[in-house]
Amino acid sequence: MEKPLDLIIESLLFASNKPLGVSEIHRCLPDVAPSDIKAALTDLQAAYDGMDRSFRLKEVAGGYQIRTQSAYAPYVLKMLKSSPSRLSRAALETLAIIAYKQPVIRQEIEQLRGVDAGGILRTLLEKDLIRVMGRKTIPGRPLIYGTTKRFLEVFDLKDLESLPKLKEFKDFGSGDETAVHMPEGDGQVGKPPQQEAEQVLLFPEDGEGPEA
Amino acid sequence: MDYEVKLEIFEGPLDLLLHLIHKNEVDIFDIPITTITDQYLAYLDMMKALNISVAGDFLVMAATLIHIKSKMLLPGSDEDEEEDPRDEITRPLLEYMRIKDIAQELSEREILGRDVFSRQDASWEDPEPEAEGPSLDVSLFQLIDAFRQIMEKTQPGSMSMNFRHEKWSIKEKARLILSLLRECPEMLFDEIFKGDREVPEFIVTFLALLELVHIGLVKVFQTSYKSRDIRLTANFDINGTEAFDEDLPLSTTNGSTHGETAGSDY
């Protein structure tokens, strides 16, 4: 190889308009082992951090992407002549429900927020933050929603597992915590792991112990 | 005369309940049901008084609250065994609080197109940020709350109002707010009511503000979660030559008795 690996990868990252995964880079550099690519990426990350530049190499949505640092947002926005993109609080809440409860149907979303979700779901679909994953095999065959890769990109997430951990309700004082979630599950301490994984994909539980 | 203002209120009954619980600084596990129910109903009245259409969800919750309140008044037959009737709202409220927490955390992340940027794909926003509707970073309840406080301060007494004749028009008031903002692009919510004397005048000013927010000329926001100050800011070129004289695209036309609803596209 004529050029240093990390610089070749840097050029790809620099020119790419989407996060590049190790496998995509490997496709361009079939002779280089994926593990070497991964190592070079880590080196690049450390190098950028050390250089104190206005950008960083971030790991998002299963790939790597060069992104400006937030301190420079005002300048970039000026250059782009745009105002920062925002989601309404309602949209964020709906998105949060979908992210944590996916696969989820509209009725469950509406139950949790106590209001109609139709308009917001449309907006989120248009913004490509959520997608229809299929239909639930219950009467009415409602659509099932989940988040997209775009969601991970926008919210600076490596993968769904890196969603912020759910806070327990200890902060709210003396409460009866079994009342907080899975009200029917009161009797059983251990949850059927399979069902949990299916229904509530992403309650990250590591380090927190059993949830209820 | 009737002004009907319809705003897209994404916020449902749970939002209103949480707002009341925070405002009263009460424990969610021990909700003073009478106080909260009364205040909840007072808000619905307030919204009706402003002709904000109250969604069915709000009424269902009102019924639930009254039902719980009546249950609480009955002497419990077996207090140890019986479930607290308030659980019916505590449980969904806790779930909802958790969702709000997560939403908050999500919004604090380094968001692409807001905080951080990548090549080409500068942002995930629409070309026109207005396309999704005006930004109302302050919830409608907070706004109504602030309005109610002003009314109480300046017009102690009843909230009843009669529009006998047209003394003030929304258009006029809207223009006034815009001219104030031209002088001072950022101001406190209270300041737009400075010149107002009578109840209907206050309300017309308030409605004018809602209209301006709706058409995207004014933004309403709070500087922080903690701060109670609601601020307005100009969302147009204050040095611009646009006069907004005749062509304010207000949906509530001056003088019409049944103003077109503001949010007709919703």
Side-chain angles (χ1 to χ4, degrees):
Chain A
M1 179 151 319
E2 318 92 59
K3 296 288 177 199
L5 177 61
D6 54 343
L7 296 191
I8 295 172
I9 293 176
E10 180 182 65
S11 71
L12 301 181
L13 292 167
F14 184 79
S16 172
N17 65 354
K18 58 180 180 35
L20 287 180
V22 172
S23 58
E24 279 163 286
I25 298 173
H26 181 60
R27 227 170 288 143
C28 309
L29 305 165
D31 300 336
V32 184
S35 60
D36 291 340
I37 292 173
K38 179 87 180 56
L41 284 164
T42 314
D43 287 350
L44 273 178
Q45 251 177 339
Y48 290 158
D49 288 353
M51 279 194 300
D52 202 19
R53 306 302 305 187
S54 63
F55 55 85
R56 288 242 169 96
L57 183 55
K58 302 285 284 189
E59 198 177 347
V60 287
Y64 290 79
Q65 188 171 45
I66 294 173
R67 290 186 168 187
T68 60
Q69 297 214 45
S70 55
Y72 301 91
Y75 308 101
V76 181
L77 281 168
K78 203 161 216 175
M79 185 266 294
L80 296 171
K81 295 196 177 79
S82 71
S83 54
S85 27
R86 284 190 198 289
L87 279 179
S88 68
R89 214 161 46 81
L92 269 170
E93 286 172 18
T94 308
L95 196 54
I97 294 172
I98 296 170
Y100 280 85
K101 304 256 174 186
Q102 61 186 316
V104 65
I105 60 171
R106 174 168 165 179
Q107 193 204 339
E108 295 169 305
I109 300 167
E110 292 181 338
Q111 223 159 35
L112 282 166
R113 288 199 64 241
V115 280
D116 180 85
I120 300 173
L121 286 176
R122 213 175 315 121
T123 307
L124 293 175
L125 282 168
E126 275 165 18
K127 287 182 182 286
D128 192 24
L129 292 170
I130 60 167
R131 68 195 170 96
V132 173
M133 299 172 78
R135 283 183 185 277
K136 200 163 180 172
T137 50
I138 57 169
R141 300 178 27 88
L143 295 172
I144 304 170
Y145 295 96
T147 53
T148 58
K149 199 173 166 191
R150 186 74 186 145
F151 164 74
L152 297 175
E153 284 181 37
V154 167
F155 286 91
D156 187 29
L157 294 160
K158 212 160 81 177
D159 45 36
L160 283 175
E161 273 69 43
S162 30
L163 273 169
K165 299 237 187 309
L166 290 176
K167 266 189 226 139
E168 293 295 335
F169 276 102
K170 283 165 193 134
D171 332 2
F172 297 108
S174 60
D176 168 17
E177 275 172 47
T178 51
V180 175
H181 24 225
M182 320 195 75
E184 308 98 325
D186 271 358
Q188 41 183 173
V189 181
K191 295 153 292 177
Q194 206 104 52
Q195 196 192 331
E196 172 81 336
E198 216 176 79
Q199 282 301 311
V200 197
L201 266 182
L202 340 141
F203 282 97
E205 284 176 32
D206 21 292
E208 286 288 325
E211 217 197 324
Chain B
M1 62 180 299
D2 282 332
Y3 279 112
E4 191 181 324
V5 174
K6 193 173 144 208
L7 273 187
E8 176 79 321
I9 314 167
F10 285 116
E11 297 148 303
L14 290 175
D15 239 332
L16 176 47
L17 273 184
L18 266 193
H19 172 82
L20 293 175
I21 286 168
H22 286 310
K23 208 177 82 172
N24 290 287
E25 294 177 3
V26 294
D27 183 0
I28 189 155
F29 291 104
D30 188 20
I31 297 171
I33 200 76
T34 308
T35 316
I36 296 294
T37 304
D38 291 350
Q39 291 184 10
Y40 184 93
L41 295 175
Y43 259 92
L44 292 200
D45 284 345
M46 181 79 190
M47 286 165 78
K48 271 182 220 149
L50 286 167
N51 260 354
I52 293 169
S53 57
V54 176
D57 303 321
F58 283 94
L59 302 177
V60 172
M61 178 58 83
T64 308
L65 285 170
I66 294 167
H67 182 63
I68 295 171
K69 188 174 150 186
S70 65
K71 265 199 201 163
M72 302 279 290
L73 290 175
L74 292 173
S77 50
D78 194 2
E79 278 183 34
D80 296 324
E81 287 301 311
E82 214 165 309
E83 207 188 322
D84 190 331
R86 291 174 297 183
D87 280 359
E88 198 180 335
I89 53 167
T90 308
R91 212 172 285 154
L93 273 176
L94 284 172
E95 274 277 11
Y96 185 57
M97 279 170 81
R98 183 152 78 154
I99 288 155
K100 285 181 89 79
D101 263 3
I102 302 165
Q104 179 66 25
E105 280 196 53
L106 280 179
S107 76
E108 282 165 8
R109 298 189 65 81
E110 297 204 322
I111 292 177
L112 189 66
R114 187 190 72 181
D115 309 308
V116 297
F117 299 85
S118 62
R119 172 167 305 268
Q120 268 179 11
D121 208 354
S123 63
W124 47 287
E125 67 186 330
D126 321 306
E128 302 125 284
E130 255 69 49
E132 211 203 327
S135 89
L136 195 75
D137 288 333
V138 172
S139 83
L140 186 61
F141 295 123
Q142 285 169 296
L143 215 52
I144 292 177
D145 212 19
F147 179 59
R148 195 174 46 83
Q149 278 170 18
I150 289 174
M151 293 294 279
E152 274 169 11
K153 231 188 289 170
T154 53
Q155 306 278 338
S158 87
M159 266 304 301
S160 73
M161 59 203 86
N162 297 304
F163 286 79
R164 284 213 191 76
H165 44 83
E166 271 171 57
K167 262 192 193 156
W168 304 276
S169 76
I170 291 193
K171 213 168 205 175
E172 230 168 73
K173 286 293 181 192
R175 243 177 260 136
L176 184 70
I177 296 173
L178 290 177
S179 68
L180 286 172
L181 280 170
R182 247 179 238 275
E183 279 165 38
C184 168
E186 195 183 308
M187 53 200 277
L188 279 172
F189 177 70
D190 309 28
E191 290 179 90
I192 58 167
F193 298 100
K194 254 184 194 158
D196 295 354
R197 295 281 168 271
E198 293 175 50
V199 176
E201 194 177 6
F202 276 91
I203 289 169
V204 171
T205 305
F206 185 59
L207 293 178
L209 174 67
L210 293 182
E211 282 280 5
L212 288 172
V213 171
H214 177 75
I215 59 178
L217 287 176
V218 174
K219 281 192 173 163
V220 183
F221 65 101
Q222 262 177 318
T223 36
S224 75
Y225 257 88
K226 293 267 169 278
S227 154
R228 306 208 67 133
D229 291 346
I230 293 175
R231 292 175 167 277
L232 317 179
T233 177
N235 197 28
F236 56 94
D237 182 9
I238 51 165
N239 300 314
T241 45
E242 306 156 81
F244 299 126
D245 274 343
E246 289 312 316
D247 51 351
L248 267 183
L250 297 185
S251 41
T252 313
T253 14
N254 192 9
S256 78
T257 35
H258 268 285
E260 274 293 303
T261 53
S264 47
D265 54 331
Y266 291 124

